[in-house]
Amino acid sequence: MALEQTIYRELKATAGVWQAAALLGAFLVAAGGAWFYMEHHGHAVTGMNNQIVWGLPHVFAIFLIVAASGALNVASIASVFGNKHYKPMGRFSSLLAITLLVGGLAIVVLDLGRADRLIVAMTSYNFKSIFAWNILLYNGFIAIVAVYLVLQMMRRLDYKWVKLAGLIAFLWRLALTTGTGSIFGWLVARPGYDAAIMAPLFVMMSFAFGLAVFILVLLTLLRLNDRPIGDELLMRMGRLLGIFAAAVLYFTAVQYLTASYAAEHRDMVRFILVEGGIYTLLFWGVQVVLGGLVPMALVFLNPSRSSTLLASILVVIGGFAQVYVIVIGGQAFPLQIFPGYEVIEGFHEGIVNPYTPSIWELMLGLGGVALALFAAGLGAKILRVLPTNLSDANLAAKG
Amino acid sequence: MTNRAEMTRRDILKSGAAASTVTLGPGVTLMAFGGTPAEASSRADAGKRWGLLIDASKCSADCSDCVTACKVENGWGQDMEHGHIDPEQAPEWIRKVTLRDKETGREVSAPVMCQHCEDPPCVDVCPTGASMKRIDGIVQVDKHICIGCRYCMMACPFKARSFVHEAVTDQSVNAPRGKGTVESCNLCAPRIDSGRIPACVEACEKAGHSAILFGDLKDPDSPISKALRDYDTVALRSDLELNAGVRYTNL
Amino acid sequence: MRLVLAFLAVCGLAVGAAADGAGPVVPTATGEPHPATENWRANHMVYMKHDRDLTMRDGVRDLGPEDHEINASLAECFDCHAVKDEAGQEVSFEDERHFCRVCHDYAAVTVDCFMCHRSTPADNTAYRAMATADDPASIEAYLARLSEEMSQ
């Protein structure tokens, strides 16, 4: 038996690849149109208002940004923690991390009231703002992971440099997700946020969402080019996904248990967990059961190729619901400005803030996803990042 | 006088005449602005901290003159009156609330606007520094560098800020405001800079309620400082220890 | 190289056009001219940006006659630089005859001022001077009223 090794080749432009590109392109065009419409008419045409100031675009954006740092995990596991099974996927993992972040940031930027002033955000910094820190963390992430990707692709390079770059990228991605979580965790005013656990919760969410997105995108691209991927490898990734999903549930449990212990936050906990209507449904039904318990049951009780695939899809859906509950639910719960008083006349005082996303916000959000996927596909088309053969036999032979 | 030490060099040079008036006695600190229109010069003064004290017992539930005056002064609120914008998307620099005490059933009414915190969360979170506090304590948005991210609105505990959801034309010259930026009460900074009281304070006086007391919190002899010493007052969300510049009494 | 040549050609055309009188015709203003008009034409954006930060962030509304010929206010530009339409109404920035637009359209430089600022003469000039004690809205008169009330 000939000793095979990992060979990276550009994606071949099959009909399927072209169809996928055309589909994503359509989403991009739609998002461009939606953005132009929102930019021209102002945010009056969106469902966002002075109570729900961040809406569906931010849900998409935060999901993508969180998933971006998680998508890098596969590369980190290989080069930082020395796992040989994940090494062939390291290049694509790095590429996907960059494109997911770009997709997420594109949504945030295009949703700005003054997107034309993006340059101001790059030149005028308030260093006390966690948001300003995040701008540096995001730009730094793209630069560091790009270098890491190049080092992985260099031939005849001492592997210690890849390891070093991988370590820096891994530490940076932890900082990045801590920063993203702290955008909410440091908001003292709102009972739904204002908690240190937001940072580790977001780190754990990124592990789960990022791996799930990585599995789905990888499987799609491999299938488009009829490249094999082994059952054993997929089940291995499925098990890891199950552990991450369990960890997300754990942090979520601690988050709400802690909040329910404080009398001042009890109303908020009751809102999300019991009386919140759509938010309660999304929390229990989609986030906890569909996005947490079911994937865990699939990968641990019935490990298989299709279990991993299905679990990945469910983790993505559950993750999206979780971000929705955090971002929108946290704003829908009313601010308690006058404790001890009942507001009998006022402006949306003490009542749950309604939010109905508009089609434009949905199109913009989906456009960000399309951008991330299109860029990942394009990267795989022009760079040698995807291995030709990920079958178990090949991996074993190589090891 | 406390203000003298912190006056800028130019103010000192200019207010040679004013210097004598400053020493006249307590309560006339405004003399530091300079005396006559001819030598007009204004600059936010670090020796001052402007604030409001709202007496809920004097505020009438069926009066909203302060809100109307703010709308006229700063040119907001027509959007909703013209009926083409969602009320939840309409600007709200100042709003009237009527509250019922859950224990006693007593009803009170009061205006709520930007609370001009000493440690404003909106200023801390703003990525560009557009959300800012002047040295005289006024918290406002520098719309020249606001990118419209709305993070300050997430951070404000009082819902004091609004986002301009559609294009604005024919703005008031005192209050430039436009689509895609965040806005809020600036304590009528242009009025204060020209030695005038905020529009809501003036309107409340004219309505005969005098429920809003305006003044310099740093001057121990100012009427507002005396009132804060003499009466039981509260700051909204005092648990956050933001040291609001707007205080309430009889709430 | 071809690009550079094309660029130079366009520049040449532009200069030629201006020489032919096809350039922007700056609307005439009323009032006293600036002491150094050329300097204002070249550097107005620097001055305006400087004064905007002074005004917004430091509360300097009126620099005083000895410091400046004009006050730190965009609104006051239109005291002299308003352009009127056929009906005698001052045109806003929407109209291409607006003072700022004439040159800026020609030079294709975006003006960011008028999304927030009004582009026609001020609706209210009351705050250009410091309040006097006899103005009932002045802080001085207000504090006098308060001390009167409190002494009662």
mmCIF file of all heavy atoms in Angstrom, chain A residues 90-134:
data_model
loop_
_atom_site.group_PDB
_atom_site.id
_atom_site.type_symbol
_atom_site.label_atom_id
_atom_site.label_comp_id
_atom_site.label_asym_id
_atom_site.label_seq_id
_atom_site.Cartn_x
_atom_site.Cartn_y
_atom_site.Cartn_z
ATOM 1 N N GLY A 90 -6.367 22.228 9.327
ATOM 2 C CA GLY A 90 -5.946 23.480 9.953
ATOM 3 C C GLY A 90 -6.012 24.684 9.026
ATOM 4 O O GLY A 90 -6.458 25.757 9.402
ATOM 5 N N ARG A 91 -5.559 24.470 7.775
ATOM 6 C CA ARG A 91 -5.543 25.602 6.840
ATOM 7 C C ARG A 91 -6.949 26.123 6.599
ATOM 8 O O ARG A 91 -7.198 27.341 6.656
ATOM 9 C CB ARG A 91 -4.956 25.160 5.495
ATOM 10 C CG ARG A 91 -3.504 24.778 5.551
ATOM 11 C CD ARG A 91 -3.039 24.393 4.168
ATOM 12 N NE ARG A 91 -1.635 23.964 4.174
ATOM 13 C CZ ARG A 91 -0.954 23.683 3.081
ATOM 14 N NH1 ARG A 91 -1.553 23.751 1.896
ATOM 15 N NH2 ARG A 91 0.300 23.305 3.143
ATOM 16 N N PHE A 92 -7.876 25.208 6.324
ATOM 17 C CA PHE A 92 -9.223 25.662 6.011
ATOM 18 C C PHE A 92 -9.882 26.273 7.248
ATOM 19 O O PHE A 92 -10.651 27.244 7.152
ATOM 20 C CB PHE A 92 -10.077 24.506 5.468
ATOM 21 C CG PHE A 92 -11.424 24.976 5.033
ATOM 22 C CD1 PHE A 92 -11.553 25.836 3.947
ATOM 23 C CD2 PHE A 92 -12.566 24.613 5.726
ATOM 24 C CE1 PHE A 92 -12.793 26.315 3.563
ATOM 25 C CE2 PHE A 92 -13.811 25.086 5.345
ATOM 26 C CZ PHE A 92 -13.929 25.939 4.257
ATOM 27 N N SER A 93 -9.559 25.721 8.407
ATOM 28 C CA SER A 93 -10.085 26.274 9.652
ATOM 29 C C SER A 93 -9.667 27.740 9.818
ATOM 30 O O SER A 93 -10.479 28.595 10.190
ATOM 31 C CB SER A 93 -9.576 25.406 10.817
ATOM 32 O OG SER A 93 -9.500 26.133 11.995
ATOM 33 N N SER A 94 -8.424 28.028 9.497
ATOM 34 C CA SER A 94 -7.931 29.413 9.608
ATOM 35 C C SER A 94 -8.637 30.317 8.611
ATOM 36 O O SER A 94 -9.063 31.429 8.927
ATOM 37 C CB SER A 94 -6.435 29.462 9.367
ATOM 38 O OG SER A 94 -5.778 28.512 10.169
ATOM 39 N N LEU A 95 -8.771 29.818 7.381
ATOM 40 C CA LEU A 95 -9.426 30.611 6.343
ATOM 41 C C LEU A 95 -10.873 30.927 6.739
ATOM 42 O O LEU A 95 -11.333 32.073 6.655
ATOM 43 C CB LEU A 95 -9.397 29.847 5.017
ATOM 44 C CG LEU A 95 -10.223 30.484 3.895
ATOM 45 C CD1 LEU A 95 -9.536 31.744 3.395
ATOM 46 C CD2 LEU A 95 -10.444 29.503 2.751
ATOM 47 N N LEU A 96 -11.579 29.889 7.198
ATOM 48 C CA LEU A 96 -12.989 30.084 7.552
ATOM 49 C C LEU A 96 -13.128 31.069 8.714
ATOM 50 O O LEU A 96 -14.064 31.879 8.757
ATOM 51 C CB LEU A 96 -13.633 28.729 7.900
ATOM 52 C CG LEU A 96 -15.138 28.768 8.170
ATOM 53 C CD1 LEU A 96 -15.908 29.202 6.930
ATOM 54 C CD2 LEU A 96 -15.646 27.405 8.643
ATOM 55 N N ALA A 97 -12.188 31.008 9.662
ATOM 56 C CA ALA A 97 -12.241 31.936 10.802
ATOM 57 C C ALA A 97 -12.197 33.377 10.313
ATOM 58 O O ALA A 97 -12.967 34.227 10.766
ATOM 59 C CB ALA A 97 -11.075 31.660 11.755
ATOM 60 N N ILE A 98 -11.316 33.634 9.338
ATOM 61 C CA ILE A 98 -11.208 35.000 8.820
ATOM 62 C C ILE A 98 -12.491 35.406 8.098
ATOM 63 O O ILE A 98 -13.047 36.477 8.323
ATOM 64 C CB ILE A 98 -9.996 35.122 7.866
ATOM 65 C CG1 ILE A 98 -8.697 34.918 8.636
ATOM 66 C CG2 ILE A 98 -9.994 36.481 7.173
ATOM 67 C CD1 ILE A 98 -7.452 34.907 7.769
ATOM 68 N N THR A 99 -13.001 34.522 7.244
ATOM 69 C CA THR A 99 -14.160 34.928 6.433
ATOM 70 C C THR A 99 -15.414 35.087 7.290
ATOM 71 O O THR A 99 -16.231 35.972 7.035
ATOM 72 C CB THR A 99 -14.424 33.932 5.290
ATOM 73 O OG1 THR A 99 -14.818 32.681 5.836
ATOM 74 C CG2 THR A 99 -13.205 33.757 4.423
ATOM 75 N N LEU A 100 -15.585 34.260 8.307
ATOM 76 C CA LEU A 100 -16.753 34.420 9.180
ATOM 77 C C LEU A 100 -16.691 35.770 9.891
ATOM 78 O O LEU A 100 -17.696 36.466 10.027
ATOM 79 C CB LEU A 100 -16.824 33.290 10.217
ATOM 80 C CG LEU A 100 -17.233 31.907 9.711
ATOM 81 C CD1 LEU A 100 -17.090 30.877 10.833
ATOM 82 C CD2 LEU A 100 -18.667 31.911 9.198
ATOM 83 N N LEU A 101 -15.500 36.133 10.341
ATOM 84 C CA LEU A 101 -15.357 37.413 11.031
ATOM 85 C C LEU A 101 -15.653 38.567 10.074
ATOM 86 O O LEU A 101 -16.366 39.511 10.426
ATOM 87 C CB LEU A 101 -13.948 37.556 11.616
ATOM 88 C CG LEU A 101 -13.762 38.765 12.520
ATOM 89 C CD1 LEU A 101 -14.601 38.641 13.773
ATOM 90 C CD2 LEU A 101 -12.304 38.965 12.897
ATOM 91 N N VAL A 102 -15.143 38.457 8.864
ATOM 92 C CA VAL A 102 -15.396 39.519 7.878
ATOM 93 C C VAL A 102 -16.900 39.637 7.600
ATOM 94 O O VAL A 102 -17.456 40.739 7.551
ATOM 95 C CB VAL A 102 -14.608 39.243 6.571
ATOM 96 C CG1 VAL A 102 -15.075 40.155 5.452
ATOM 97 C CG2 VAL A 102 -13.116 39.435 6.820
ATOM 98 N N GLY A 103 -17.562 38.496 7.463
ATOM 99 C CA GLY A 103 -19.012 38.526 7.239
ATOM 100 C C GLY A 103 -19.750 39.190 8.374
ATOM 101 O O GLY A 103 -20.635 40.026 8.164
ATOM 102 N N GLY A 104 -19.380 38.844 9.611
ATOM 103 C CA GLY A 104 -20.036 39.437 10.782
ATOM 104 C C GLY A 104 -19.777 40.927 10.878
ATOM 105 O O GLY A 104 -20.702 41.711 11.115
ATOM 106 N N LEU A 105 -18.530 41.316 10.673
ATOM 107 C CA LEU A 105 -18.191 42.741 10.779
ATOM 108 C C LEU A 105 -18.879 43.548 9.685
ATOM 109 O O LEU A 105 -19.301 44.680 9.914
ATOM 110 C CB LEU A 105 -16.674 42.933 10.690
ATOM 111 C CG LEU A 105 -15.882 42.429 11.891
ATOM 112 C CD1 LEU A 105 -14.399 42.681 11.689
ATOM 113 C CD2 LEU A 105 -16.352 43.088 13.168
ATOM 114 N N ALA A 106 -19.018 42.946 8.505
ATOM 115 C CA ALA A 106 -19.678 43.663 7.410
ATOM 116 C C ALA A 106 -21.105 44.039 7.824
ATOM 117 O O ALA A 106 -21.574 45.147 7.542
ATOM 118 C CB ALA A 106 -19.699 42.804 6.151
ATOM 119 N N ILE A 107 -21.775 43.128 8.511
ATOM 120 C CA ILE A 107 -23.152 43.428 8.942
ATOM 121 C C ILE A 107 -23.151 44.584 9.934
ATOM 122 O O ILE A 107 -23.927 45.538 9.804
ATOM 123 C CB ILE A 107 -23.798 42.192 9.592
ATOM 124 C CG1 ILE A 107 -23.823 41.022 8.617
ATOM 125 C CG2 ILE A 107 -25.210 42.523 10.056
ATOM 126 C CD1 ILE A 107 -24.314 39.736 9.244
ATOM 127 N N VAL A 108 -22.267 44.500 10.937
ATOM 128 C CA VAL A 108 -22.223 45.564 11.954
ATOM 129 C C VAL A 108 -21.962 46.908 11.295
ATOM 130 O O VAL A 108 -22.632 47.905 11.568
ATOM 131 C CB VAL A 108 -21.116 45.275 12.998
ATOM 132 C CG1 VAL A 108 -20.973 46.444 13.951
ATOM 133 C CG2 VAL A 108 -21.431 44.024 13.770
ATOM 134 N N VAL A 109 -20.982 46.919 10.399
ATOM 135 C CA VAL A 109 -20.592 48.185 9.770
ATOM 136 C C VAL A 109 -21.730 48.738 8.911
ATOM 137 O O VAL A 109 -22.044 49.921 8.956
ATOM 138 C CB VAL A 109 -19.314 47.973 8.932
ATOM 139 C CG1 VAL A 109 -19.090 49.133 7.996
ATOM 140 C CG2 VAL A 109 -18.122 47.773 9.848
ATOM 141 N N LEU A 110 -22.375 47.851 8.147
ATOM 142 C CA LEU A 110 -23.425 48.345 7.258
ATOM 143 C C LEU A 110 -24.671 48.750 8.042
ATOM 144 O O LEU A 110 -25.496 49.507 7.541
ATOM 145 C CB LEU A 110 -23.780 47.284 6.217
ATOM 146 C CG LEU A 110 -22.654 47.002 5.228
ATOM 147 C CD1 LEU A 110 -23.064 45.931 4.233
ATOM 148 C CD2 LEU A 110 -22.261 48.268 4.484
ATOM 149 N N ASP A 111 -24.813 48.276 9.259
ATOM 150 C CA ASP A 111 -25.960 48.682 10.057
ATOM 151 C C ASP A 111 -25.720 49.998 10.794
ATOM 152 O O ASP A 111 -26.649 50.575 11.348
ATOM 153 C CB ASP A 111 -26.315 47.592 11.072
ATOM 154 C CG ASP A 111 -27.469 48.029 11.950
ATOM 155 O OD1 ASP A 111 -28.595 48.009 11.451
ATOM 156 O OD2 ASP A 111 -27.229 48.439 13.101
ATOM 157 N N LEU A 112 -24.489 50.495 10.809
ATOM 158 C CA LEU A 112 -24.215 51.753 11.508
ATOM 159 C C LEU A 112 -25.119 52.860 10.957
ATOM 160 O O LEU A 112 -25.442 52.880 9.769
ATOM 161 C CB LEU A 112 -22.760 52.177 11.312
ATOM 162 C CG LEU A 112 -21.682 51.352 12.004
ATOM 163 C CD1 LEU A 112 -20.310 51.889 11.630
ATOM 164 C CD2 LEU A 112 -21.851 51.374 13.507
ATOM 165 N N GLY A 113 -25.492 53.787 11.830
ATOM 166 C CA GLY A 113 -26.282 54.916 11.364
ATOM 167 C C GLY A 113 -25.509 55.723 10.335
ATOM 168 O O GLY A 113 -26.070 56.263 9.392
ATOM 169 N N ARG A 114 -24.206 55.820 10.558
ATOM 170 C CA ARG A 114 -23.359 56.549 9.626
ATOM 171 C C ARG A 114 -22.244 55.624 9.156
ATOM 172 O O ARG A 114 -21.086 55.767 9.539
ATOM 173 C CB ARG A 114 -22.773 57.798 10.287
ATOM 174 C CG ARG A 114 -23.796 58.844 10.699
ATOM 175 C CD ARG A 114 -24.529 59.434 9.490
ATOM 176 N NE ARG A 114 -23.638 60.002 8.507
ATOM 177 C CZ ARG A 114 -23.332 61.302 8.414
ATOM 178 N NH1 ARG A 114 -23.872 62.156 9.247
ATOM 179 N NH2 ARG A 114 -22.526 61.737 7.483
ATOM 180 N N ALA A 115 -22.640 54.652 8.299
ATOM 181 C CA ALA A 115 -21.653 53.711 7.790
ATOM 182 C C ALA A 115 -20.571 54.439 6.991
ATOM 183 O O ALA A 115 -19.441 53.974 6.886
ATOM 184 C CB ALA A 115 -22.335 52.662 6.912
ATOM 185 N N ASP A 116 -20.925 55.610 6.460
ATOM 186 C CA ASP A 116 -19.954 56.385 5.679
ATOM 187 C C ASP A 116 -18.821 56.912 6.546
ATOM 188 O O ASP A 116 -17.810 57.370 6.053
ATOM 189 C CB ASP A 116 -20.667 57.549 4.978
ATOM 190 C CG ASP A 116 -21.475 58.403 5.939
ATOM 191 O OD1 ASP A 116 -22.087 57.838 6.860
ATOM 192 O OD2 ASP A 116 -21.480 59.640 5.783
ATOM 193 N N ARG A 117 -19.017 56.860 7.876
ATOM 194 C CA ARG A 117 -17.980 57.377 8.771
ATOM 195 C C ARG A 117 -17.139 56.264 9.367
ATOM 196 O O ARG A 117 -16.576 56.428 10.450
ATOM 197 C CB ARG A 117 -18.631 58.148 9.912
ATOM 198 C CG ARG A 117 -19.145 59.499 9.492
ATOM 199 C CD ARG A 117 -19.560 60.259 10.723
ATOM 200 N NE ARG A 117 -20.133 61.530 10.346
ATOM 201 C CZ ARG A 117 -20.928 62.230 11.130
ATOM 202 N NH1 ARG A 117 -21.248 61.770 12.317
ATOM 203 N NH2 ARG A 117 -21.400 63.381 10.732
ATOM 204 N N LEU A 118 -17.035 55.147 8.679
ATOM 205 C CA LEU A 118 -16.264 54.020 9.214
ATOM 206 C C LEU A 118 -14.844 54.468 9.555
ATOM 207 O O LEU A 118 -14.256 54.025 10.531
ATOM 208 C CB LEU A 118 -16.232 52.894 8.185
ATOM 209 C CG LEU A 118 -15.548 51.618 8.650
ATOM 210 C CD1 LEU A 118 -16.260 51.050 9.862
ATOM 211 C CD2 LEU A 118 -15.485 50.604 7.546
ATOM 212 N N ILE A 119 -14.328 55.386 8.767
ATOM 213 C CA ILE A 119 -12.960 55.867 8.986
ATOM 214 C C ILE A 119 -12.828 56.494 10.376
ATOM 215 O O ILE A 119 -11.782 56.392 11.018
ATOM 216 C CB ILE A 119 -12.553 56.858 7.861
ATOM 217 C CG1 ILE A 119 -11.059 57.156 7.920
ATOM 218 C CG2 ILE A 119 -13.324 58.143 7.913
ATOM 219 C CD1 ILE A 119 -10.205 56.058 7.388
ATOM 220 N N VAL A 120 -13.909 57.117 10.864
ATOM 221 C CA VAL A 120 -13.869 57.718 12.199
ATOM 222 C C VAL A 120 -13.642 56.639 13.259
ATOM 223 O O VAL A 120 -12.886 56.820 14.216
ATOM 224 C CB VAL A 120 -15.176 58.489 12.500
ATOM 225 C CG1 VAL A 120 -15.181 58.995 13.934
ATOM 226 C CG2 VAL A 120 -15.338 59.641 11.532
ATOM 227 N N ALA A 121 -14.290 55.486 13.035
ATOM 228 C CA ALA A 121 -14.135 54.394 13.997
ATOM 229 C C ALA A 121 -12.703 53.876 14.016
ATOM 230 O O ALA A 121 -12.272 53.249 14.981
ATOM 231 C CB ALA A 121 -15.097 53.265 13.657
ATOM 232 N N MET A 122 -11.961 54.111 12.939
ATOM 233 C CA MET A 122 -10.584 53.632 12.863
ATOM 234 C C MET A 122 -9.583 54.698 13.319
ATOM 235 O O MET A 122 -8.424 54.399 13.539
ATOM 236 C CB MET A 122 -10.240 53.242 11.415
ATOM 237 C CG MET A 122 -11.147 52.188 10.838
ATOM 238 S SD MET A 122 -10.912 50.600 11.654
ATOM 239 C CE MET A 122 -12.253 49.660 10.940
ATOM 240 N N THR A 123 -10.022 55.952 13.381
ATOM 241 C CA THR A 123 -9.077 57.018 13.690
ATOM 242 C C THR A 123 -9.335 57.669 15.030
ATOM 243 O O THR A 123 -8.450 58.280 15.615
ATOM 244 C CB THR A 123 -9.122 58.116 12.606
ATOM 245 O OG1 THR A 123 -10.474 58.537 12.452
ATOM 246 C CG2 THR A 123 -8.600 57.610 11.296
ATOM 247 N N SER A 124 -10.555 57.577 15.543
ATOM 248 C CA SER A 124 -10.886 58.254 16.786
ATOM 249 C C SER A 124 -11.283 57.203 17.817
ATOM 250 O O SER A 124 -12.347 56.593 17.711
ATOM 251 C CB SER A 124 -12.047 59.228 16.519
ATOM 252 O OG SER A 124 -12.459 59.827 17.705
ATOM 253 N N TYR A 125 -10.393 56.952 18.756
ATOM 254 C CA TYR A 125 -10.629 55.874 19.718
ATOM 255 C C TYR A 125 -10.899 56.410 21.117
ATOM 256 O O TYR A 125 -10.232 57.335 21.576
ATOM 257 C CB TYR A 125 -9.423 54.943 19.809
ATOM 258 C CG TYR A 125 -9.352 53.933 18.699
ATOM 259 C CD1 TYR A 125 -8.518 54.120 17.615
ATOM 260 C CD2 TYR A 125 -10.131 52.783 18.754
ATOM 261 C CE1 TYR A 125 -8.457 53.189 16.600
ATOM 262 C CE2 TYR A 125 -10.076 51.847 17.742
ATOM 263 C CZ TYR A 125 -9.235 52.055 16.668
ATOM 264 O OH TYR A 125 -9.171 51.135 15.674
ATOM 265 N N ASN A 126 -11.865 55.810 21.782
ATOM 266 C CA ASN A 126 -12.053 56.042 23.207
ATOM 267 C C ASN A 126 -11.619 54.748 23.888
ATOM 268 O O ASN A 126 -12.331 53.748 23.860
ATOM 269 C CB ASN A 126 -13.534 56.338 23.503
ATOM 270 C CG ASN A 126 -13.842 56.251 24.976
ATOM 271 O OD1 ASN A 126 -12.977 56.452 25.815
ATOM 272 N ND2 ASN A 126 -15.083 55.945 25.310
ATOM 273 N N PHE A 127 -10.437 54.759 24.469
ATOM 274 C CA PHE A 127 -9.861 53.508 24.948
ATOM 275 C C PHE A 127 -10.544 52.960 26.195
ATOM 276 O O PHE A 127 -10.229 51.882 26.651
ATOM 277 C CB PHE A 127 -8.350 53.645 25.140
ATOM 278 C CG PHE A 127 -7.629 53.626 23.834
ATOM 279 C CD1 PHE A 127 -7.130 54.784 23.276
ATOM 280 C CD2 PHE A 127 -7.485 52.439 23.136
ATOM 281 C CE1 PHE A 127 -6.489 54.763 22.049
ATOM 282 C CE2 PHE A 127 -6.848 52.398 21.906
ATOM 283 C CZ PHE A 127 -6.349 53.573 21.359
ATOM 284 N N LYS A 128 -11.487 53.712 26.731
ATOM 285 C CA LYS A 128 -12.247 53.165 27.851
ATOM 286 C C LYS A 128 -13.376 52.266 27.342
ATOM 287 O O LYS A 128 -13.999 51.555 28.117
ATOM 288 C CB LYS A 128 -12.814 54.319 28.691
ATOM 289 C CG LYS A 128 -12.991 53.921 30.135
ATOM 290 C CD LYS A 128 -13.525 55.061 30.967
ATOM 291 C CE LYS A 128 -13.890 54.521 32.349
ATOM 292 N NZ LYS A 128 -14.567 55.526 33.163
ATOM 293 N N SER A 129 -13.636 52.329 26.046
ATOM 294 C CA SER A 129 -14.764 51.585 25.484
ATOM 295 C C SER A 129 -14.352 50.179 25.081
ATOM 296 O O SER A 129 -13.394 49.993 24.329
ATOM 297 C CB SER A 129 -15.300 52.328 24.266
ATOM 298 O OG SER A 129 -16.159 51.488 23.529
ATOM 299 N N ILE A 130 -15.099 49.185 25.554
ATOM 300 C CA ILE A 130 -14.814 47.808 25.160
ATOM 301 C C ILE A 130 -15.061 47.631 23.665
ATOM 302 O O ILE A 130 -14.444 46.805 23.000
ATOM 303 C CB ILE A 130 -15.662 46.814 26.001
ATOM 304 C CG1 ILE A 130 -15.384 45.352 25.627
ATOM 305 C CG2 ILE A 130 -17.133 47.080 25.862
ATOM 306 C CD1 ILE A 130 -13.999 44.878 25.959
ATOM 307 N N PHE A 131 -15.947 48.465 23.131
ATOM 308 C CA PHE A 131 -16.239 48.436 21.696
ATOM 309 C C PHE A 131 -15.000 48.846 20.897
ATOM 310 O O PHE A 131 -14.667 48.228 19.889
ATOM 311 C CB PHE A 131 -17.379 49.424 21.422
ATOM 312 C CG PHE A 131 -18.371 48.940 20.418
ATOM 313 C CD1 PHE A 131 -19.288 47.963 20.758
ATOM 314 C CD2 PHE A 131 -18.417 49.481 19.152
ATOM 315 C CE1 PHE A 131 -20.218 47.533 19.844
ATOM 316 C CE2 PHE A 131 -19.356 49.052 18.232
ATOM 317 C CZ PHE A 131 -20.255 48.066 18.572
ATOM 318 N N ALA A 132 -14.321 49.884 21.367
ATOM 319 C CA ALA A 132 -13.102 50.326 20.695
ATOM 320 C C ALA A 132 -12.038 49.233 20.778
ATOM 321 O O ALA A 132 -11.327 48.960 19.803
ATOM 322 C CB ALA A 132 -12.595 51.619 21.320
ATOM 323 N N TRP A 133 -11.954 48.586 21.933
ATOM 324 C CA TRP A 133 -10.999 47.485 22.084
ATOM 325 C C TRP A 133 -11.316 46.363 21.110
ATOM 326 O O TRP A 133 -10.422 45.738 20.549
ATOM 327 C CB TRP A 133 -11.036 46.945 23.523
ATOM 328 C CG TRP A 133 -10.190 47.771 24.424
ATOM 329 C CD1 TRP A 133 -10.607 48.742 25.278
ATOM 330 C CD2 TRP A 133 -8.770 47.735 24.532
ATOM 331 N NE1 TRP A 133 -9.543 49.310 25.903
ATOM 332 C CE2 TRP A 133 -8.402 48.710 25.486
ATOM 333 C CE3 TRP A 133 -7.772 46.971 23.920
ATOM 334 C CZ2 TRP A 133 -7.069 48.937 25.824
ATOM 335 C CZ3 TRP A 133 -6.454 47.199 24.266
ATOM 336 C CH2 TRP A 133 -6.121 48.171 25.212
ATOM 337 N N ASN A 134 -12.614 46.120 20.930
ATOM 338 C CA ASN A 134 -12.998 45.056 20.016
ATOM 339 C C ASN A 134 -12.583 45.364 18.585
ATOM 340 O O ASN A 134 -12.230 44.458 17.831
ATOM 341 C CB ASN A 134 -14.504 44.801 20.099
ATOM 342 C CG ASN A 134 -14.831 43.786 21.184
ATOM 343 O OD1 ASN A 134 -14.283 42.698 21.199
ATOM 344 N ND2 ASN A 134 -15.681 44.146 22.107
#
